Amino acid sequence: MAATTEELLQMILQSLEKVEYIKSEDIPNIDLYMDQVLTFMDRKLRSAVRPQTEDRILTKTMINNYAKNDLLPPPVKKKYSKEHVLLLIFIYYYKGIIPMNEIQTLLKPLTDRYFQNGQVFDLESVYKEVVVLEKEQLEDLKKDVVEKFRRAEDSFTEVTGEEQEFLQKFALICLLSFDVYMKKMIVEQLVADLADTMKAQEPEKESHKKKN
């Protein structure tokens, strides 16, 4: 039996609660081989995919391509560090939003400055900071979903029955999709601005290298 509108809303809100954030302390502090990385990522991120999907979260081919395209520093003696896993988590979330070349633009300054830099403020510190921000946003996201649900319920009042139910669900999908589209556009603009900033800094960096 199909869920009622209210049941569907509660199912969606409950699914948002189930989405797991990988805590940095959950990531092993020892270096991992490829198969161990794949198993860890699949176990931790499985809740973020549709239940009927049997595909692996990541594959060996994906990770090798990330390294080949400079999204991920190469492993050391075929082993991946905790910092490698943190970058893979970022890539996993980004790849559904922006293309690989833009992910590279976004991650390059991150890896250049914070990947195994030997400093107190490193890649793990960056990860912890943004995860806190994302967790705080969850309640706002739930409120936004409820608001869109109610707006969709108030649409197509001139029809009734199954036709109304279908059109209201369609309206909800449109509202959510437009929200995703607009935020994707903002992300692309921010990444483009970051790329322009990095390009403008290149002559200054080259000049500094020559002086040294």
Side-chain angles (χ1 to χ4, degrees):
M1 182 183 295
T4 65
T5 302
E6 281 301 318
E7 288 172 340
L8 182 59
L9 174 58
Q10 293 307 314
M11 286 168 56
I12 291 172
L13 295 177
Q14 288 171 13
S15 68
L16 291 176
E17 290 285 357
K18 291 178 183 177
V19 173
E20 289 187 39
Y21 291 89
I22 300 180
K23 301 180 183 69
S24 61
E25 52 267 30
D26 291 342
I27 303 171
N29 284 316
I30 59 172
D31 294 345
L32 304 174
Y33 286 107
M34 174 78 82
D35 287 342
Q36 292 173 309
V37 172
L38 295 175
T39 299
F40 174 82
M41 294 290 284
D42 197 73
R43 188 176 73 249
K44 288 295 184 179
L45 293 172
R46 175 55 54 186
S47 64
V49 300
R50 295 172 64 184
Q52 63 268 35
T53 300
E54 296 181 1
D55 296 339
R56 295 292 296 264
I57 295 293
L58 284 172
T59 65
K60 292 181 181 181
T61 301
M62 287 179 187
I63 294 179
N64 287 332
N65 284 337
Y66 298 156
K68 185 169 66 176
N69 291 296
D70 296 326
L71 274 77
L72 188 73
V76 178
K77 296 181 180 179
K78 297 184 178 181
K79 285 188 174 183
Y80 296 84
S81 66
K82 186 172 187 174
E83 289 85 355
H84 280 105
V85 177
L86 292 171
L87 285 172
L88 284 170
I89 295 169
F90 281 128
I91 294 169
Y92 172 78
Y93 286 114
Y94 290 145
K95 70 179 184 177
I97 303 170
I98 54 178
M100 288 299 171
N101 64 312
E102 293 184 10
I103 297 176
Q104 182 187 20
T105 298
L106 187 56
L107 291 185
K108 188 177 188 313
L110 200 66
T111 53
D112 287 349
R113 298 174 189 179
Y114 306 113
F115 185 84
Q116 297 179 349
N117 62 356
Q119 304 296 316
V120 174
F121 194 77
D122 55 6
L123 186 60
E124 186 173 0
S125 302
V126 175
Y127 181 83
K128 286 181 177 179
E129 187 84 15
V130 296
V131 165
V132 168
L133 293 174
E134 290 168 356
K135 289 174 71 174
E136 290 173 350
Q137 190 182 356
L138 182 59
E139 288 305 314
D140 290 336
L141 175 60
K142 287 161 65 176
K143 290 176 184 177
D144 182 64
V145 169
V146 171
E147 181 185 345
K148 286 181 170 58
F149 234 94
R150 300 309 179 206
R151 290 179 63 188
E153 278 185 326
D154 291 337
S155 65
F156 297 104
T157 55
E158 66 275 16
V159 293
T160 58
E162 291 183 1
E163 184 179 7
Q164 183 187 58
E165 182 181 349
F166 165 75
L167 290 172
Q168 288 178 344
K169 285 182 181 178
F170 180 74
L172 176 61
I173 291 169
C174 288
L175 284 172
L176 293 169
S177 298
F178 181 71
D179 185 65
V180 171
Y181 171 77
M182 295 302 294
K183 288 177 179 175
K184 180 176 181 293
M185 185 179 70
I186 293 169
V187 170
E188 290 172 345
Q189 290 177 338
L190 291 170
V191 173
D193 180 72
L194 178 62
D196 290 342
T197 301
M198 291 170 58
K199 189 174 181 179
Q201 291 174 346
E202 285 177 4
E204 183 179 337
K205 289 180 181 179
E206 288 299 322
S207 175
H208 181 71
K209 285 180 182 179
K210 289 178 181 178
K211 288 180 181 179
N212 292 336

